[in-house]
Amino acid sequence: MKRLLILSLLIFSEVSEAKLSVMQGVTSDSTTQVNFIGQKGKTYQISLRDPEGETLSPSEQTTISKPFSVKTVVKAKFKGLSLRKSYELTINDEQGGNLDRRHLKALDIKKSMATIAFASCMDDFYKTQQTSMWKELLGHGADILIILGDNVYADRRNGHPIIDVNPRVLWERYTETRDLLELYKSDNLIPIIATWDDHDFGQNDGGLDFKYKKESTETFNAFFSQDSVKGVYDLGPGVSSTLRVFGQVFYLLDDRSFRTPDHKGGPEQTQLGVAQENWLLENLVSTRHPSWLINGGQWFGGYHQFESFEGDHPENFKIFMNRLKSAVAPVIFISGDRHLAELMKIEKEVLGYETYEFTTSAIHANVYPSTWDKTPNRRQIAGVAGTFNYGIVKTSQEDTWKINVKAFGPGSKLLFERDLKIAKPAKSSH
């Protein structure tokens, strides 16, 4: 009887501490979007409650399911939030029994000094390490988290490659990763915005010829709450998007949907595709707001043998950078993929003013020793290899565009820090 009682207590403890996989997505000063992983055939009651006990019901609630899976994605949108309040997100079953509680806030999109967390490469094979890495990142109190791709290793399971990454496998790997990662178990939610790279796209080094590209796009859109919000968040070609907050613009680009095979010459080669390039440039010439160009893969990586825009599509890269000179807004480049942390200074000759590229990868995935002794990077001003890492960036642009970049490793160890200023000449000579 004593053994049975102990076992019962252990089982109850595990159930009571269990949490759903919950994500806060696109958020403004008065709206937010959330989603969680549910079970097919079940109905959920979702609400927000403020400290005074006032309850907000979803303005919209949808469930996305697949015939081959018992797991669903439940999405909810809320309106009427206040910046002065914090909210308790409650998820109940259809009988009113509580399944989960979290806390979230609206986002002060007019904030003059903002903190942004960047992370990429989230292999769920690293079950123990990911828990501490996410707790440490969330401990910095960032306003938003931007994840840069390889957010799911859909083409790998338990450290081994999957031969046929079909729609069923894509859905399974997304749900497995979501169910595991500490990021989605946190009591205090943070707005998350995402783009992808090859592993969550579903094909290592893949591009426009991936036969499940349509299904992959649908899966990505199902698992991230990133519907348009007028004046704040807009969708672009593929899974690209534009976030306008803090007096700045963040362009999350899609380096997979339109990508031609790497290292192929000719004017038709492309990484972003004509439609996406035109969409980006049209936006950049219509605003003076400082802009972040965010890509799954590295931009200026022609010095090494691994994937990068400069190295894989060199002709397209030169044309793209030349077109970028016409942009009214100054830009900085952000990237993941490389399984190292690196900060580069991009010389004035490229765009007509000095700027930077900050790469952070992996928060929990394979990392490797540096190859900078064999292939040095003349642009590098800071770099650390061989360790998990993520980025914390503080940015403001009241008078000038100021950026403080920090790369952190396990144990919140500071890997490097730099203060950056980016100033584009009022009149370009180009």
Side-chain angles (χ1 to χ4, degrees), residues 57-98:
S57 298
S59 59
E60 183 179 329
Q61 182 174 330
T62 58
T63 298
I64 303 172
S65 63
K66 299 292 180 181
F68 46 72
S69 176
V70 297
K71 296 292 183 74
T72 64
V73 180
V74 182
K75 292 188 169 185
K77 297 180 183 179
F78 294 90
K79 297 179 179 179
L81 278 68
S82 170
L83 288 173
R84 298 188 302 273
K85 298 179 180 180
S86 60
Y87 296 87
E88 181 180 72
L89 172 69
T90 301
I91 303 172
N92 294 337
D93 61 25
E94 55 190 331
Q95 286 79 36
N98 182 249

mmCIF file of all heavy atoms in Angstrom, residues 57-98:
data_model
loop_
_atom_site.group_PDB
_atom_site.id
_atom_site.type_symbol
_atom_site.label_atom_id
_atom_site.label_comp_id
_atom_site.label_asym_id
_atom_site.label_seq_id
_atom_site.Cartn_x
_atom_site.Cartn_y
_atom_site.Cartn_z
ATOM 1 N N SER A 57 -11.838 37.343 -24.079
ATOM 2 C CA SER A 57 -11.996 36.126 -24.877
ATOM 3 C C SER A 57 -11.334 36.336 -26.233
ATOM 4 O O SER A 57 -11.161 37.471 -26.684
ATOM 5 C CB SER A 57 -13.475 35.795 -25.058
ATOM 6 O OG SER A 57 -14.085 35.539 -23.809
ATOM 7 N N PRO A 58 -10.963 35.265 -26.916
ATOM 8 C CA PRO A 58 -10.319 35.419 -28.226
ATOM 9 C C PRO A 58 -11.224 36.113 -29.232
ATOM 10 O O PRO A 58 -12.437 35.848 -29.286
ATOM 11 C CB PRO A 58 -10.028 33.978 -28.654
ATOM 12 C CG PRO A 58 -10.037 33.185 -27.395
ATOM 13 C CD PRO A 58 -11.040 33.854 -26.509
ATOM 14 N N SER A 59 -10.668 37.009 -30.009
ATOM 15 C CA SER A 59 -11.407 37.590 -31.129
ATOM 16 C C SER A 59 -11.489 36.582 -32.273
ATOM 17 O O SER A 59 -12.364 36.680 -33.140
ATOM 18 C CB SER A 59 -10.727 38.861 -31.615
ATOM 19 O OG SER A 59 -9.391 38.604 -32.022
ATOM 20 N N GLU A 60 -10.592 35.609 -32.241
ATOM 21 C CA GLU A 60 -10.585 34.552 -33.267
ATOM 22 C C GLU A 60 -9.879 33.335 -32.684
ATOM 23 O O GLU A 60 -8.849 33.463 -32.013
ATOM 24 C CB GLU A 60 -9.849 35.050 -34.515
ATOM 25 C CG GLU A 60 -9.836 34.084 -35.674
ATOM 26 C CD GLU A 60 -9.121 34.647 -36.890
ATOM 27 O OE1 GLU A 60 -9.156 35.890 -37.076
ATOM 28 O OE2 GLU A 60 -8.513 33.859 -37.642
ATOM 29 N N GLN A 61 -10.424 32.154 -32.911
ATOM 30 C CA GLN A 61 -9.796 30.910 -32.456
ATOM 31 C C GLN A 61 -9.943 29.851 -33.537
ATOM 32 O O GLN A 61 -11.039 29.630 -34.054
ATOM 33 C CB GLN A 61 -10.431 30.426 -31.151
ATOM 34 C CG GLN A 61 -9.794 29.153 -30.587
ATOM 35 C CD GLN A 61 -10.343 28.780 -29.222
ATOM 36 O OE1 GLN A 61 -10.753 29.656 -28.440
ATOM 37 N NE2 GLN A 61 -10.369 27.489 -28.914
ATOM 38 N N THR A 62 -8.830 29.228 -33.900
ATOM 39 C CA THR A 62 -8.831 28.209 -34.949
ATOM 40 C C THR A 62 -8.006 27.008 -34.518
ATOM 41 O O THR A 62 -7.117 27.121 -33.668
ATOM 42 C CB THR A 62 -8.259 28.755 -36.269
ATOM 43 O OG1 THR A 62 -6.913 29.234 -36.033
ATOM 44 C CG2 THR A 62 -9.103 29.879 -36.818
ATOM 45 N N THR A 63 -8.310 25.872 -35.109
ATOM 46 C CA THR A 63 -7.542 24.651 -34.871
ATOM 47 C C THR A 63 -7.074 24.097 -36.211
ATOM 48 O O THR A 63 -7.877 23.958 -37.140
ATOM 49 C CB THR A 63 -8.387 23.594 -34.137
ATOM 50 O OG1 THR A 63 -8.777 24.103 -32.855
ATOM 51 C CG2 THR A 63 -7.589 22.309 -33.929
ATOM 52 N N ILE A 64 -5.794 23.795 -36.300
ATOM 53 C CA ILE A 64 -5.216 23.237 -37.523
ATOM 54 C C ILE A 64 -4.830 21.791 -37.243
ATOM 55 O O ILE A 64 -4.100 21.505 -36.282
ATOM 56 C CB ILE A 64 -3.984 24.050 -37.972
ATOM 57 C CG1 ILE A 64 -4.361 25.522 -38.178
ATOM 58 C CG2 ILE A 64 -3.406 23.469 -39.260
ATOM 59 C CD1 ILE A 64 -3.173 26.432 -38.426
ATOM 60 N N SER A 65 -5.310 20.889 -38.077
ATOM 61 C CA SER A 65 -5.036 19.469 -37.861
ATOM 62 C C SER A 65 -4.691 18.794 -39.178
ATOM 63 O O SER A 65 -4.911 19.344 -40.264
ATOM 64 C CB SER A 65 -6.251 18.782 -37.224
ATOM 65 O OG SER A 65 -7.366 18.853 -38.101
ATOM 66 N N LYS A 66 -4.146 17.593 -39.071
ATOM 67 C CA LYS A 66 -3.809 16.767 -40.223
ATOM 68 C C LYS A 66 -4.428 15.389 -40.032
ATOM 69 O O LYS A 66 -4.507 14.884 -38.908
ATOM 70 C CB LYS A 66 -2.288 16.644 -40.377
ATOM 71 C CG LYS A 66 -1.568 17.965 -40.609
ATOM 72 C CD LYS A 66 -1.915 18.558 -41.964
ATOM 73 C CE LYS A 66 -1.201 19.878 -42.190
ATOM 74 N NZ LYS A 66 -1.549 20.482 -43.497
ATOM 75 N N PRO A 67 -4.859 14.741 -41.104
ATOM 76 C CA PRO A 67 -5.517 13.435 -40.961
ATOM 77 C C PRO A 67 -4.608 12.351 -40.397
ATOM 78 O O PRO A 67 -5.099 11.372 -39.832
ATOM 79 C CB PRO A 67 -5.956 13.104 -42.397
ATOM 80 C CG PRO A 67 -5.095 13.953 -43.279
ATOM 81 C CD PRO A 67 -4.824 15.190 -42.505
ATOM 82 N N PHE A 68 -3.296 12.549 -40.521
ATOM 83 C CA PHE A 68 -2.362 11.506 -40.093
ATOM 84 C C PHE A 68 -1.794 11.739 -38.693
ATOM 85 O O PHE A 68 -0.897 11.019 -38.256
ATOM 86 C CB PHE A 68 -1.196 11.396 -41.079
ATOM 87 C CG PHE A 68 -0.596 12.719 -41.486
ATOM 88 C CD1 PHE A 68 0.172 13.464 -40.606
ATOM 89 C CD2 PHE A 68 -0.822 13.220 -42.762
ATOM 90 C CE1 PHE A 68 0.712 14.674 -40.978
ATOM 91 C CE2 PHE A 68 -0.286 14.438 -43.149
ATOM 92 C CZ PHE A 68 0.489 15.166 -42.248
ATOM 93 N N SER A 69 -2.286 12.743 -37.953
ATOM 94 C CA SER A 69 -1.707 13.050 -36.643
ATOM 95 C C SER A 69 -2.789 13.313 -35.616
ATOM 96 O O SER A 69 -3.839 13.896 -35.916
ATOM 97 C CB SER A 69 -0.793 14.277 -36.744
ATOM 98 O OG SER A 69 -0.287 14.638 -35.473
ATOM 99 N N VAL A 70 -2.528 12.896 -34.363
ATOM 100 C CA VAL A 70 -3.443 13.196 -33.262
ATOM 101 C C VAL A 70 -3.133 14.568 -32.671
ATOM 102 O O VAL A 70 -3.888 15.075 -31.839
ATOM 103 C CB VAL A 70 -3.343 12.129 -32.151
ATOM 104 C CG1 VAL A 70 -3.757 10.777 -32.693
ATOM 105 C CG2 VAL A 70 -1.945 12.073 -31.547
ATOM 106 N N LYS A 71 -2.020 15.185 -33.074
ATOM 107 C CA LYS A 71 -1.626 16.495 -32.568
ATOM 108 C C LYS A 71 -2.192 17.600 -33.457
ATOM 109 O O LYS A 71 -2.166 17.497 -34.682
ATOM 110 C CB LYS A 71 -0.106 16.618 -32.505
ATOM 111 C CG LYS A 71 0.569 15.644 -31.533
ATOM 112 C CD LYS A 71 0.225 15.973 -30.096
ATOM 113 C CE LYS A 71 0.922 15.074 -29.103
ATOM 114 N NZ LYS A 71 2.347 15.390 -28.963
ATOM 115 N N THR A 72 -2.684 18.655 -32.815
ATOM 116 C CA THR A 72 -3.207 19.812 -33.531
ATOM 117 C C THR A 72 -2.485 21.070 -33.068
ATOM 118 O O THR A 72 -1.804 21.065 -32.031
ATOM 119 C CB THR A 72 -4.712 19.991 -33.278
ATOM 120 O OG1 THR A 72 -4.924 20.276 -31.892
ATOM 121 C CG2 THR A 72 -5.481 18.733 -33.666
ATOM 122 N N VAL A 73 -2.641 22.134 -33.835
ATOM 123 C CA VAL A 73 -2.177 23.454 -33.395
ATOM 124 C C VAL A 73 -3.418 24.313 -33.171
ATOM 125 O O VAL A 73 -4.220 24.507 -34.081
ATOM 126 C CB VAL A 73 -1.259 24.113 -34.436
ATOM 127 C CG1 VAL A 73 -0.806 25.491 -33.928
ATOM 128 C CG2 VAL A 73 -0.041 23.243 -34.735
ATOM 129 N N VAL A 74 -3.565 24.807 -31.962
ATOM 130 C CA VAL A 74 -4.692 25.662 -31.603
ATOM 131 C C VAL A 74 -4.188 27.106 -31.554
ATOM 132 O O VAL A 74 -3.223 27.406 -30.844
ATOM 133 C CB VAL A 74 -5.311 25.262 -30.255
ATOM 134 C CG1 VAL A 74 -6.516 26.139 -29.936
ATOM 135 C CG2 VAL A 74 -5.695 23.788 -30.258
ATOM 136 N N LYS A 75 -4.840 27.990 -32.311
ATOM 137 C CA LYS A 75 -4.424 29.385 -32.387
ATOM 138 C C LYS A 75 -5.514 30.294 -31.853
ATOM 139 O O LYS A 75 -6.700 30.053 -32.077
ATOM 140 C CB LYS A 75 -4.103 29.780 -33.838
ATOM 141 C CG LYS A 75 -2.864 29.112 -34.403
ATOM 142 C CD LYS A 75 -2.518 29.701 -35.770
ATOM 143 C CE LYS A 75 -1.146 29.241 -36.235
ATOM 144 N NZ LYS A 75 -0.748 29.909 -37.497
ATOM 145 N N ALA A 76 -5.093 31.365 -31.189
ATOM 146 C CA ALA A 76 -6.047 32.343 -30.672
ATOM 147 C C ALA A 76 -5.482 33.748 -30.839
ATOM 148 O O ALA A 76 -4.275 33.958 -30.679
ATOM 149 C CB ALA A 76 -6.367 32.073 -29.209
ATOM 150 N N LYS A 77 -6.364 34.701 -31.168
ATOM 151 C CA LYS A 77 -5.992 36.108 -31.265
ATOM 152 C C LYS A 77 -6.793 36.901 -30.244
ATOM 153 O O LYS A 77 -7.966 36.616 -29.992
ATOM 154 C CB LYS A 77 -6.287 36.638 -32.673
ATOM 155 C CG LYS A 77 -5.494 35.986 -33.775
ATOM 156 C CD LYS A 77 -5.874 36.582 -35.135
ATOM 157 C CE LYS A 77 -5.138 35.901 -36.271
ATOM 158 N NZ LYS A 77 -5.527 36.467 -37.587
ATOM 159 N N PHE A 78 -6.137 37.923 -29.667
ATOM 160 C CA PHE A 78 -6.791 38.765 -28.677
ATOM 161 C C PHE A 78 -6.624 40.232 -29.050
ATOM 162 O O PHE A 78 -5.564 40.637 -29.540
ATOM 163 C CB PHE A 78 -6.193 38.531 -27.288
ATOM 164 C CG PHE A 78 -6.443 37.161 -26.731
ATOM 165 C CD1 PHE A 78 -5.545 36.123 -26.961
ATOM 166 C CD2 PHE A 78 -7.585 36.909 -25.978
ATOM 167 C CE1 PHE A 78 -5.769 34.866 -26.447
ATOM 168 C CE2 PHE A 78 -7.820 35.641 -25.453
ATOM 169 C CZ PHE A 78 -6.915 34.614 -25.695
ATOM 170 N N LYS A 79 -7.671 41.009 -28.792
ATOM 171 C CA LYS A 79 -7.647 42.454 -29.000
ATOM 172 C C LYS A 79 -7.958 43.154 -27.681
ATOM 173 O O LYS A 79 -8.481 42.553 -26.752
ATOM 174 C CB LYS A 79 -8.690 42.869 -30.045
ATOM 175 C CG LYS A 79 -8.471 42.298 -31.430
ATOM 176 C CD LYS A 79 -9.585 42.751 -32.375
ATOM 177 C CE LYS A 79 -9.388 42.205 -33.783
ATOM 178 N NZ LYS A 79 -10.500 42.625 -34.688
ATOM 179 N N GLY A 80 -7.648 44.449 -27.622
ATOM 180 C CA GLY A 80 -8.021 45.242 -26.461
ATOM 181 C C GLY A 80 -7.073 45.152 -25.290
ATOM 182 O O GLY A 80 -7.447 45.477 -24.152
ATOM 183 N N LEU A 81 -5.819 44.745 -25.515
ATOM 184 C CA LEU A 81 -4.835 44.690 -24.439
ATOM 185 C C LEU A 81 -4.373 46.098 -24.074
ATOM 186 O O LEU A 81 -4.436 47.022 -24.887
ATOM 187 C CB LEU A 81 -3.628 43.845 -24.842
ATOM 188 C CG LEU A 81 -3.760 42.316 -24.702
ATOM 189 C CD1 LEU A 81 -4.764 41.755 -25.696
ATOM 190 C CD2 LEU A 81 -2.400 41.650 -24.894
ATOM 191 N N SER A 82 -3.865 46.250 -22.866
ATOM 192 C CA SER A 82 -3.322 47.512 -22.386
ATOM 193 C C SER A 82 -1.854 47.336 -22.023
ATOM 194 O O SER A 82 -1.465 46.308 -21.437
ATOM 195 C CB SER A 82 -4.094 47.994 -21.158
ATOM 196 O OG SER A 82 -3.426 49.089 -20.542
ATOM 197 N N LEU A 83 -1.043 48.330 -22.334
ATOM 198 C CA LEU A 83 0.377 48.277 -21.971
ATOM 199 C C LEU A 83 0.577 48.370 -20.464
ATOM 200 O O LEU A 83 1.637 48.008 -19.950
ATOM 201 C CB LEU A 83 1.138 49.412 -22.661
ATOM 202 C CG LEU A 83 1.347 49.276 -24.174
ATOM 203 C CD1 LEU A 83 1.959 50.560 -24.732
ATOM 204 C CD2 LEU A 83 2.237 48.083 -24.492
ATOM 205 N N ARG A 84 -0.407 48.853 -19.757
ATOM 206 C CA ARG A 84 -0.279 49.042 -18.310
ATOM 207 C C ARG A 84 -0.561 47.765 -17.521
ATOM 208 O O ARG A 84 -0.412 47.750 -16.301
ATOM 209 C CB ARG A 84 -1.239 50.141 -17.837
ATOM 210 C CG ARG A 84 -0.973 51.512 -18.452
ATOM 211 C CD ARG A 84 -1.824 52.583 -17.793
ATOM 212 N NE ARG A 84 -3.244 52.292 -17.905
ATOM 213 C CZ ARG A 84 -3.999 52.640 -18.945
ATOM 214 N NH1 ARG A 84 -3.463 53.281 -19.970
ATOM 215 N NH2 ARG A 84 -5.294 52.352 -18.971
ATOM 216 N N LYS A 85 -0.968 46.702 -18.211
ATOM 217 C CA LYS A 85 -1.385 45.496 -17.513
ATOM 218 C C LYS A 85 -0.563 44.284 -17.944
ATOM 219 O O LYS A 85 -0.069 44.214 -19.068
ATOM 220 C CB LYS A 85 -2.867 45.214 -17.791
ATOM 221 C CG LYS A 85 -3.822 46.299 -17.313
ATOM 222 C CD LYS A 85 -5.260 45.944 -17.664
ATOM 223 C CE LYS A 85 -6.236 47.013 -17.193
ATOM 224 N NZ LYS A 85 -7.635 46.662 -17.536
ATOM 225 N N SER A 86 -0.453 43.330 -17.031
ATOM 226 C CA SER A 86 0.023 41.997 -17.390
ATOM 227 C C SER A 86 -1.183 41.070 -17.365
ATOM 228 O O SER A 86 -2.161 41.320 -16.654
ATOM 229 C CB SER A 86 1.095 41.514 -16.402
ATOM 230 O OG SER A 86 0.568 41.463 -15.087
ATOM 231 N N TYR A 87 -1.107 39.998 -18.133
ATOM 232 C CA TYR A 87 -2.261 39.116 -18.303
ATOM 233 C C TYR A 87 -1.909 37.672 -18.002
ATOM 234 O O TYR A 87 -0.783 37.224 -18.264
ATOM 235 C CB TYR A 87 -2.788 39.218 -19.739
ATOM 236 C CG TYR A 87 -3.320 40.578 -20.092
ATOM 237 C CD1 TYR A 87 -2.480 41.577 -20.585
ATOM 238 C CD2 TYR A 87 -4.670 40.876 -19.925
ATOM 239 C CE1 TYR A 87 -2.959 42.832 -20.898
ATOM 240 C CE2 TYR A 87 -5.167 42.138 -20.237
ATOM 241 C CZ TYR A 87 -4.306 43.114 -20.727
ATOM 242 O OH TYR A 87 -4.783 44.359 -21.026
ATOM 243 N N GLU A 88 -2.892 36.976 -17.440
ATOM 244 C CA GLU A 88 -2.757 35.536 -17.243
ATOM 245 C C GLU A 88 -3.488 34.834 -18.380
ATOM 246 O O GLU A 88 -4.693 35.023 -18.573
ATOM 247 C CB GLU A 88 -3.342 35.110 -15.904
ATOM 248 C CG GLU A 88 -3.198 33.607 -15.646
ATOM 249 C CD GLU A 88 -3.774 33.187 -14.315
ATOM 250 O OE1 GLU A 88 -5.026 33.176 -14.192
ATOM 251 O OE2 GLU A 88 -2.985 32.882 -13.404
ATOM 252 N N LEU A 89 -2.755 34.059 -19.150
ATOM 253 C CA LEU A 89 -3.342 33.234 -20.205
ATOM 254 C C LEU A 89 -3.783 31.920 -19.584
ATOM 255 O O LEU A 89 -2.975 31.217 -18.957
ATOM 256 C CB LEU A 89 -2.316 32.978 -21.310
ATOM 257 C CG LEU A 89 -2.718 31.970 -22.390
ATOM 258 C CD1 LEU A 89 -3.836 32.536 -23.259
ATOM 259 C CD2 LEU A 89 -1.514 31.593 -23.250
ATOM 260 N N THR A 90 -5.063 31.615 -19.736
ATOM 261 C CA THR A 90 -5.617 30.383 -19.163
ATOM 262 C C THR A 90 -6.123 29.484 -20.279
ATOM 263 O O THR A 90 -6.847 29.937 -21.170
ATOM 264 C CB THR A 90 -6.778 30.703 -18.201
ATOM 265 O OG1 THR A 90 -6.302 31.547 -17.150
ATOM 266 C CG2 THR A 90 -7.347 29.428 -17.596
ATOM 267 N N ILE A 91 -5.744 28.227 -20.227
ATOM 268 C CA ILE A 91 -6.216 27.229 -21.184
ATOM 269 C C ILE A 91 -6.928 26.128 -20.403
ATOM 270 O O ILE A 91 -6.321 25.446 -19.570
ATOM 271 C CB ILE A 91 -5.044 26.636 -21.999
ATOM 272 C CG1 ILE A 91 -4.274 27.753 -22.711
ATOM 273 C CG2 ILE A 91 -5.561 25.608 -23.010
ATOM 274 C CD1 ILE A 91 -3.000 27.291 -23.386
ATOM 275 N N ASN A 92 -8.221 25.983 -20.647
ATOM 276 C CA ASN A 92 -9.037 24.970 -19.977
ATOM 277 C C ASN A 92 -9.548 23.953 -20.988
ATOM 278 O O ASN A 92 -9.623 24.235 -22.190
ATOM 279 C CB ASN A 92 -10.241 25.607 -19.281
ATOM 280 C CG ASN A 92 -9.829 26.512 -18.127
ATOM 281 O OD1 ASN A 92 -8.744 26.377 -17.564
ATOM 282 N ND2 ASN A 92 -10.705 27.437 -17.767
ATOM 283 N N ASP A 93 -9.924 22.778 -20.484
ATOM 284 C CA ASP A 93 -10.591 21.805 -21.344
ATOM 285 C C ASP A 93 -12.069 22.158 -21.440
ATOM 286 O O ASP A 93 -12.538 23.136 -20.839
ATOM 287 C CB ASP A 93 -10.368 20.374 -20.853
ATOM 288 C CG ASP A 93 -10.906 20.129 -19.448
ATOM 289 O OD1 ASP A 93 -11.843 20.863 -19.022
ATOM 290 O OD2 ASP A 93 -10.405 19.214 -18.761
ATOM 291 N N GLU A 94 -12.828 21.380 -22.190
ATOM 292 C CA GLU A 94 -14.228 21.725 -22.439
ATOM 293 C C GLU A 94 -15.094 21.629 -21.193
ATOM 294 O O GLU A 94 -16.181 22.227 -21.130
ATOM 295 C CB GLU A 94 -14.796 20.847 -23.556
ATOM 296 C CG GLU A 94 -14.666 19.360 -23.338
ATOM 297 C CD GLU A 94 -15.035 18.581 -24.594
ATOM 298 O OE1 GLU A 94 -15.857 19.094 -25.375
ATOM 299 O OE2 GLU A 94 -14.502 17.475 -24.781
ATOM 300 N N GLN A 95 -14.645 20.918 -20.151
ATOM 301 C CA GLN A 95 -15.374 20.853 -18.896
ATOM 302 C C GLN A 95 -14.986 21.976 -17.932
ATOM 303 O O GLN A 95 -15.505 22.080 -16.831
ATOM 304 C CB GLN A 95 -15.134 19.498 -18.195
ATOM 305 C CG GLN A 95 -15.853 18.324 -18.834
ATOM 306 C CD GLN A 95 -15.124 17.813 -20.072
ATOM 307 O OE1 GLN A 95 -13.882 17.809 -20.106
ATOM 308 N NE2 GLN A 95 -15.883 17.396 -21.081
ATOM 309 N N GLY A 96 -14.003 22.803 -18.354
ATOM 310 C CA GLY A 96 -13.552 23.896 -17.506
ATOM 311 C C GLY A 96 -12.359 23.554 -16.647
ATOM 312 O O GLY A 96 -11.892 24.398 -15.857
ATOM 313 N N GLY A 97 -11.830 22.343 -16.778
ATOM 314 C CA GLY A 97 -10.648 21.968 -16.020
ATOM 315 C C GLY A 97 -9.402 22.647 -16.570
ATOM 316 O O GLY A 97 -9.203 22.670 -17.785
ATOM 317 N N ASN A 98 -8.587 23.182 -15.675
ATOM 318 C CA ASN A 98 -7.429 23.943 -16.127
ATOM 319 C C ASN A 98 -6.315 23.027 -16.637
ATOM 320 O O ASN A 98 -5.955 22.039 -16.000
ATOM 321 C CB ASN A 98 -6.883 24.821 -15.010
ATOM 322 C CG ASN A 98 -5.696 25.656 -15.473
ATOM 323 O OD1 ASN A 98 -4.578 25.440 -15.051
ATOM 324 N ND2 ASN A 98 -5.958 26.589 -16.381
#
